[in-house]
Protein backbone atom coordinates (compact mmCIF):
# COMPACT_ATOMS: atom_id res chain seq x y z
CA UNK A 1 0.00 0.00 0.00
CA UNK A 2 1.39 3.39 -0.97
CA UNK A 3 2.07 6.27 1.40
CA UNK A 4 -0.75 8.14 -0.29
CA UNK A 5 -3.20 5.38 0.59
CA UNK A 6 -2.14 5.22 4.24
CA UNK A 7 -2.83 8.87 5.02
CA UNK A 8 -6.57 8.33 5.39
CA UNK A 9 -7.23 11.43 7.43
CA UNK A 10 -6.16 13.68 4.58
CA UNK A 11 -7.02 11.65 1.50
CA UNK A 12 -9.64 13.94 -0.01
CA UNK A 13 -8.39 17.31 1.13
CA UNK A 14 -5.78 17.73 -1.58
CA UNK A 15 -8.18 17.81 -4.52
CA UNK A 16 -9.29 21.37 -3.99
CA UNK A 17 -12.93 22.40 -4.03
CA UNK A 18 -15.40 23.82 -6.51
CA UNK A 19 -18.88 25.28 -6.21
CA UNK A 20 -21.65 23.33 -7.95
CA UNK A 21 -25.36 23.90 -7.45
CA UNK A 22 -24.74 26.18 -4.50
CA UNK A 23 -22.51 23.73 -2.62
CA UNK A 24 -18.75 23.71 -2.35
CA UNK A 25 -17.53 20.17 -2.93
CA UNK A 26 -14.21 18.41 -3.37
CA UNK A 27 -13.10 17.89 -6.95
CA UNK A 28 -12.69 14.15 -6.48
CA UNK A 29 -16.13 12.62 -6.17
CA UNK A 30 -17.76 9.25 -6.68
CA UNK A 31 -19.63 7.81 -9.65
CA UNK A 32 -22.36 5.41 -8.53
CA UNK A 33 -22.87 3.50 -11.79
CA UNK A 34 -21.39 0.30 -10.37
CA UNK A 35 -23.57 0.10 -7.26
CA UNK A 36 -25.76 -2.42 -9.06
CA UNK A 37 -25.64 -5.99 -10.34
CA UNK A 38 -23.15 -7.77 -12.61
CA UNK A 39 -22.62 -6.36 -16.09
CA UNK A 40 -24.18 -3.07 -14.92
CA UNK A 41 -27.62 -4.64 -14.78
CA UNK A 42 -30.10 -5.59 -12.10
CA UNK A 43 -29.87 -6.15 -8.39
CA UNK A 44 -26.48 -6.76 -6.73
CA UNK A 45 -26.00 -10.03 -4.88
CA UNK A 46 -25.91 -8.07 -1.61
CA UNK A 47 -26.54 -4.36 -1.08
CA UNK A 48 -24.83 -4.24 2.30
CA UNK A 49 -21.22 -3.97 1.07
CA UNK A 50 -22.26 -1.20 -1.32
CA UNK A 51 -23.97 0.69 1.48
CA UNK A 52 -20.84 0.37 3.60
CA UNK A 53 -18.72 1.58 0.66
CA UNK A 54 -20.81 4.74 0.25
CA UNK A 55 -20.71 5.54 3.94
CA UNK A 56 -16.96 5.01 4.00
CA UNK A 57 -16.53 7.30 0.96
CA UNK A 58 -18.40 10.10 2.73
CA UNK A 59 -16.33 9.49 5.87
CA UNK A 60 -13.20 10.00 3.74
CA UNK A 61 -14.45 13.35 2.51
CA UNK A 62 -16.32 12.50 -0.68
CA UNK A 63 -19.15 15.01 -0.99
CA UNK A 64 -20.08 14.81 -4.68
CA UNK A 65 -21.95 11.63 -5.61
CA UNK A 66 -23.17 11.13 -9.17
CA UNK A 67 -25.88 8.65 -10.12
CA UNK A 68 -28.67 8.25 -12.70
CA UNK A 69 -32.13 6.73 -12.99
CA UNK A 70 -30.87 4.28 -15.61
CA UNK A 71 -28.24 2.70 -13.35
CA UNK A 72 -29.77 -0.66 -12.56
CA UNK A 73 -32.18 0.67 -13.68
CA UNK A 74 -33.16 2.58 -10.53
CA UNK A 75 -31.09 0.50 -8.12
CA UNK A 76 -28.17 2.89 -7.67
CA UNK A 77 -30.52 5.63 -6.44
CA UNK A 78 -32.13 3.19 -4.01
CA UNK A 79 -28.75 2.09 -2.61
CA UNK A 80 -27.72 5.73 -2.12
CA UNK A 81 -30.88 6.40 -0.13
CA UNK A 82 -30.37 3.30 2.01
CA UNK A 83 -26.79 4.31 2.72
CA UNK A 84 -27.00 8.04 3.30
CA UNK A 85 -30.56 9.20 3.98
CA UNK A 86 -31.09 11.61 5.65
CA UNK A 87 -28.36 13.13 3.54
CA UNK A 88 -25.59 15.15 5.16
CA UNK A 89 -26.11 18.83 4.35
CA UNK A 90 -22.66 19.19 2.79
CA UNK A 91 -23.05 16.24 0.38
CA UNK A 92 -24.25 16.96 -3.16
CA UNK A 93 -26.09 14.04 -4.73
CA UNK A 94 -26.82 14.50 -8.40
CA UNK A 95 -28.85 12.28 -10.68
CA UNK A 96 -29.83 12.19 -14.33
CA UNK A 97 -32.77 11.45 -16.58
CA UNK A 98 -33.06 10.76 -20.27
CA UNK A 99 -31.99 7.16 -20.84
CA UNK A 100 -33.59 3.73 -20.65
CA UNK A 101 -31.96 0.32 -20.30
CA UNK A 102 -33.50 -2.97 -21.45
CA UNK A 103 -30.68 -5.29 -20.45
CA UNK A 104 -26.90 -5.52 -19.99
CA UNK A 105 -25.35 -3.06 -22.41
CA UNK A 106 -28.69 -2.16 -24.02
CA UNK A 107 -29.37 1.56 -23.68
CA UNK A 108 -31.44 4.12 -25.54
CA UNK A 109 -31.76 7.87 -25.21
CA UNK A 110 -35.23 9.30 -24.60
CA UNK A 111 -35.54 13.05 -24.38
CA UNK A 112 -39.26 13.54 -24.75
CA UNK A 113 -40.47 16.11 -22.22
CA UNK A 114 -43.09 13.81 -20.71
CA UNK A 115 -40.47 11.11 -20.18
CA UNK A 116 -38.02 13.52 -18.54
CA UNK A 117 -40.80 14.67 -16.22
CA UNK A 118 -41.57 11.09 -15.24
CA UNK A 119 -37.88 10.31 -14.70
CA UNK A 120 -37.50 13.30 -12.41
CA UNK A 121 -40.60 12.35 -10.41
CA UNK A 122 -39.38 8.79 -9.91
CA UNK A 123 -35.87 9.91 -8.94
CA UNK A 124 -37.37 12.23 -6.33
CA UNK A 125 -39.29 9.29 -4.89
CA UNK A 126 -36.37 6.86 -4.92
CA UNK A 127 -33.96 9.34 -3.35
CA UNK A 128 -36.58 10.32 -0.79
CA UNK A 129 -36.40 14.05 -1.46
CA UNK A 130 -38.73 16.79 -2.67
CA UNK A 131 -35.97 18.67 -4.48
CA UNK A 132 -32.91 17.45 -6.42
CA UNK A 133 -30.03 19.91 -6.01
CA UNK A 134 -28.46 19.10 -9.39
CA UNK A 135 -30.44 17.31 -12.10
CA UNK A 136 -28.73 16.42 -15.37
CA UNK A 137 -29.88 15.67 -18.89
CA UNK A 138 -28.22 12.30 -19.35
CA UNK A 139 -27.79 12.55 -23.09
CA UNK A 140 -29.18 14.67 -25.88
CA UNK A 141 -31.90 12.88 -27.85
CA UNK A 142 -31.41 13.66 -31.56
CA UNK A 143 -35.07 12.79 -32.23
CA UNK A 144 -36.35 15.60 -30.01
CA UNK A 145 -35.62 19.31 -30.52
CA UNK A 146 -32.84 20.25 -28.12
CA UNK A 147 -34.71 23.34 -26.99
CA UNK A 148 -37.64 21.15 -25.87
CA UNK A 149 -35.36 18.99 -23.74
CA UNK A 150 -33.82 22.04 -22.13
CA UNK A 151 -37.24 23.65 -21.82
CA UNK A 152 -38.68 20.89 -19.67
CA UNK A 153 -35.62 21.01 -17.42
CA UNK A 154 -36.28 24.72 -16.96
CA UNK A 155 -39.93 23.98 -16.11
CA UNK A 156 -38.89 21.42 -13.49
CA UNK A 157 -36.58 24.00 -12.00
CA UNK A 158 -39.29 26.67 -11.91
CA UNK A 159 -41.63 24.18 -10.21
CA UNK A 160 -39.07 23.62 -7.45
CA UNK A 161 -38.46 19.96 -8.26
CA UNK A 162 -34.84 20.56 -9.15
CA UNK A 163 -32.30 23.21 -8.25
CA UNK A 164 -29.46 23.46 -10.75
CA UNK A 165 -29.33 21.92 -14.22
CA UNK A 166 -26.42 19.96 -15.69
CA UNK A 167 -25.70 18.64 -19.18
CA UNK A 168 -24.05 15.37 -20.20
CA UNK A 169 -22.21 14.37 -23.36
CA UNK A 170 -22.71 17.68 -25.10
CA UNK A 171 -20.85 19.77 -27.65
CA UNK A 172 -19.73 23.33 -27.18
CA UNK A 173 -22.52 24.44 -29.50
CA UNK A 174 -25.14 22.66 -27.39
CA UNK A 175 -23.83 24.24 -24.20
CA UNK A 176 -24.01 27.67 -25.84
CA UNK A 177 -27.62 27.08 -26.96
CA UNK A 178 -28.62 25.75 -23.53
CA UNK A 179 -27.13 28.80 -21.81
CA UNK A 180 -29.46 31.02 -23.81
CA UNK A 181 -32.38 29.26 -22.09
CA UNK A 182 -31.08 28.21 -18.65
CA UNK A 183 -28.13 28.62 -16.34
CA UNK A 184 -25.93 25.58 -16.90
CA UNK A 185 -24.46 24.47 -13.58
CA UNK A 186 -22.14 21.73 -14.86
CA UNK A 187 -21.07 19.81 -17.95
CA UNK A 188 -20.29 16.10 -17.70
CA UNK A 189 -18.48 14.43 -20.60
CA UNK A 190 -16.22 11.44 -20.94
CA UNK A 191 -12.63 12.54 -20.43
CA UNK A 192 -9.46 10.81 -19.28
CA UNK A 193 -5.73 10.65 -19.80
CA UNK A 194 -6.40 8.74 -23.04
CA UNK A 195 -9.91 9.85 -24.07
CA UNK A 196 -9.78 13.50 -25.07
CA UNK A 197 -12.40 13.88 -27.79
CA UNK A 198 -14.09 16.56 -25.65
CA UNK A 199 -10.97 18.70 -25.26
CA UNK A 200 -12.78 21.63 -26.86
CA UNK A 201 -15.66 21.33 -24.39
CA UNK A 202 -13.27 21.26 -21.45
CA UNK A 203 -11.43 24.30 -22.80
CA UNK A 204 -14.73 26.16 -23.26
CA UNK A 205 -15.87 25.29 -19.73
CA UNK A 206 -12.51 26.39 -18.33
CA UNK A 207 -12.76 29.76 -20.08
CA UNK A 208 -16.35 30.19 -18.91
CA UNK A 209 -15.66 29.00 -15.34
CA UNK A 210 -18.11 26.10 -15.69
CA UNK A 211 -17.52 22.92 -13.68
CA UNK A 212 -16.50 20.06 -16.00
CA UNK A 213 -17.18 16.56 -14.63
CA UNK A 214 -15.14 13.71 -16.07
CA UNK A 215 -16.97 10.38 -16.23
CA UNK A 216 -15.00 7.18 -16.83
CA UNK A 217 -11.84 8.98 -15.67
CA UNK A 218 -9.91 5.71 -15.37
CA UNK A 219 -10.08 4.77 -19.05
CA UNK A 220 -6.35 4.26 -19.55
CA UNK A 221 -6.08 0.74 -21.02
CA UNK A 222 -2.63 -0.43 -22.05
CA UNK A 223 -0.96 2.76 -20.82
CA UNK A 224 -1.10 1.30 -17.30
CA UNK A 225 0.65 -1.96 -18.22
CA UNK A 226 3.84 -2.88 -16.40
CA UNK A 227 6.58 -0.69 -17.81
CA UNK A 228 4.09 1.67 -19.42
CA UNK A 229 4.05 5.44 -18.87
CA UNK A 230 1.43 5.45 -16.12
CA UNK A 231 3.15 2.57 -14.37
CA UNK A 232 6.49 4.33 -14.60
CA UNK A 233 5.25 7.54 -12.97
CA UNK A 234 3.34 5.53 -10.38
CA UNK A 235 6.57 3.76 -9.40
CA UNK A 236 8.31 7.13 -8.98
CA UNK A 237 5.57 8.29 -6.60
CA UNK A 238 4.90 5.03 -4.73
CA UNK A 239 1.34 5.21 -6.10
CA UNK A 240 -0.79 3.22 -8.54
CA UNK A 241 -1.51 3.92 -12.23
CA UNK A 242 -5.12 4.74 -11.35
CA UNK A 243 -4.00 7.30 -8.78
CA UNK A 244 -1.67 8.88 -11.31
CA UNK A 245 -4.44 9.09 -13.91
CA UNK A 246 -6.75 10.80 -11.41
CA UNK A 247 -4.04 13.16 -10.19
CA UNK A 248 -3.40 14.21 -13.79
CA UNK A 249 -7.10 15.02 -14.27
CA UNK A 250 -7.14 17.21 -11.18
CA UNK A 251 -4.01 18.96 -12.41
CA UNK A 252 -5.43 19.40 -15.93
CA UNK A 253 -7.87 22.19 -15.00
CA UNK A 254 -9.11 23.84 -11.83
CA UNK A 255 -12.73 23.38 -12.93
CA UNK A 256 -12.26 19.61 -13.35
CA UNK A 257 -14.19 17.15 -11.18
CA UNK A 258 -13.37 13.44 -11.47
CA UNK A 259 -15.93 10.80 -10.47
CA UNK A 260 -14.30 7.36 -10.50
CA UNK A 261 -16.74 4.58 -9.68
CA UNK A 262 -16.26 1.12 -8.24
CA UNK A 263 -18.02 -1.51 -6.16
CA UNK A 264 -14.77 -2.37 -4.37
CA UNK A 265 -13.97 -0.80 -1.01
CA UNK A 266 -10.23 -1.11 -1.63
CA UNK A 267 -10.44 0.51 -5.06
CA UNK A 268 -12.62 3.32 -3.73
CA UNK A 269 -10.11 4.10 -1.00
CA UNK A 270 -7.28 3.95 -3.53
CA UNK A 271 -9.12 6.33 -5.86
CA UNK A 272 -9.98 8.82 -3.14
CA UNK A 273 -6.39 8.79 -1.96
CA UNK A 274 -5.31 10.11 -5.36
CA UNK A 275 -6.42 13.55 -4.15
CA UNK A 276 -3.27 13.67 -2.07
CA UNK A 277 -0.95 12.87 -4.98
CA UNK A 278 1.10 15.67 -6.53
CA UNK A 279 2.61 15.40 -9.99
CA UNK A 280 5.65 17.40 -11.03
CA UNK A 281 5.37 19.72 -14.06
CA UNK A 282 7.50 17.23 -16.01
CA UNK A 283 5.19 14.35 -15.11
CA UNK A 284 2.13 16.37 -16.09
CA UNK A 285 3.75 17.19 -19.43
CA UNK A 286 4.54 13.53 -20.04
CA UNK A 287 0.93 12.57 -19.36
CA UNK A 288 -0.37 15.44 -21.50
CA UNK A 289 1.43 13.84 -24.43
CA UNK A 290 -0.26 10.46 -23.99
CA UNK A 291 -3.35 11.47 -25.94
CA UNK A 292 -1.58 10.69 -29.20
CA UNK A 293 -0.67 7.21 -27.94
CA UNK A 294 -4.08 6.14 -26.61
Amino acid sequence: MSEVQRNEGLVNHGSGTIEIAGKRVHRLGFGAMRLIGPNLWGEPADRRPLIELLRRAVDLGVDFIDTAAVYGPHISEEVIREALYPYPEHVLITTKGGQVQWGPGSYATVGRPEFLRQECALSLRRLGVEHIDLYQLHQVDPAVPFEEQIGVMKELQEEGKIGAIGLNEVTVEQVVVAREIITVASVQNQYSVTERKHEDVLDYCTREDLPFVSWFPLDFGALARVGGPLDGIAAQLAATPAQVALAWLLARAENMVAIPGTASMAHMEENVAAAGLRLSPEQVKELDALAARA
Side-chain angles (χ1 to χ4, degrees):
M1 181 176 292
S2 72
E3 183 66 27
V4 175
Q5 288 170 278
R6 287 197 296 268
N7 291 332
E8 289 188 342
L10 298 174
V11 288
N12 206 35
H13 296 285
S15 65
T17 61
I18 190 169
E19 186 170 325
I20 305 177
K23 291 188 178 183
R24 184 152 289 276
V25 296
H26 290 98
R27 295 195 300 127
L28 205 157
F30 181 81
M33 186 177 188
R34 297 188 178 277
L35 302 183
I36 55 179
N39 301 314
L40 301 180
W41 172 255
E43 185 71 34
D46 187 351
R47 291 191 180 191
R48 287 172 296 181
L50 304 179
I51 290 170
E52 293 173 5
L53 183 151
L54 274 173
R55 291 173 177 168
R56 173 65 171 156
V58 172
D59 286 344
L60 289 176
V62 171
D63 47 18
F64 183 86
I65 298 173
D66 177 274
T67 187
V70 76
Y71 297 164
H74 311 154
I75 291 167
S76 175
E77 291 180 331
E78 294 175 0
V79 171
I80 288 171
R81 179 178 181 175
E82 288 184 52
L84 301 177
Y85 187 87
Y87 307 110
E89 181 62 30
H90 68 286
V91 174
L92 175 57
I93 296 172
T94 172
T95 191
K96 318 177 196 70
Q99 278 195 339
V100 294
Q101 183 181 21
W102 295 300
S106 298
Y107 298 90
T109 301
V110 182
R112 295 194 305 274
E114 63 272 22
F115 179 76
L116 292 173
R117 278 191 163 278
Q118 174 180 290
E119 286 284 88
C120 180
L122 293 175
S123 288
L124 286 164
R125 182 186 302 175
R126 285 188 292 268
L127 291 171
V129 296
E130 297 181 352
H131 174 93
I132 297 169
D133 288 336
L134 174 62
Y135 193 65
Q136 303 173 71
L137 180 66
H138 203 149
Q139 198 164 25
V140 176
D141 186 345
V144 178
F146 183 56
E147 291 80 359
E148 290 187 16
Q149 297 172 69
I150 298 301
V152 72
M153 301 287 278
K154 182 179 181 180
E155 291 172 4
L156 291 168
Q157 185 181 53
E158 291 171 343
E159 294 163 10
K161 295 181 174 67
I162 65 177
I165 299 171
L167 304 176
N168 286 34
E169 286 301 288
V170 285
T171 64
V172 171
E173 292 74 20
Q174 288 168 333
V175 179
V176 171
V177 170
R179 294 181 80 189
E180 295 175 354
I181 304 170
I182 60 169
T183 297
V184 175
S186 63
V187 173
Q188 182 176 152
N189 283 10
Q190 184 178 3
Y191 190 85
S192 69
V193 70
T194 58
E195 178 51 78
R196 313 216 194 149
K197 63 185 176 184
H198 292 302
E199 198 86 56
D200 62 332
V201 182
L202 172 57
D203 289 342
Y204 170 85
C205 290
T206 302
R207 291 194 304 271
E208 296 294 315
D209 199 26
L210 277 174
F212 182 96
V213 182
S214 159
W215 68 267
F216 201 10
L218 296 179
D219 178 21
F220 43 63
L223 296 178
R225 70 184 184 280
V226 175
L230 284 173
D231 181 65
I233 293 176
Q236 296 169 21
L237 298 171
T240 68
Q243 289 173 330
V244 171
L246 290 171
W248 174 81
L249 278 172
L250 296 176
R252 171 64 181 81
E254 292 185 357
N255 61 319
M256 175 76 72
V257 179
I259 52 168
T262 179
S264 161
M265 181 74 78
H267 287 164
M268 181 276 294
E269 292 179 344
E270 175 187 312
N271 292 340
V272 172
L277 191 64
R278 290 293 174 268
L279 304 178
S280 70
E282 294 75 22
Q283 290 166 335
V284 171
K285 185 176 181 180
E286 181 180 347
L287 294 173
D288 287 346
L290 293 182
R293 302 169 58 182

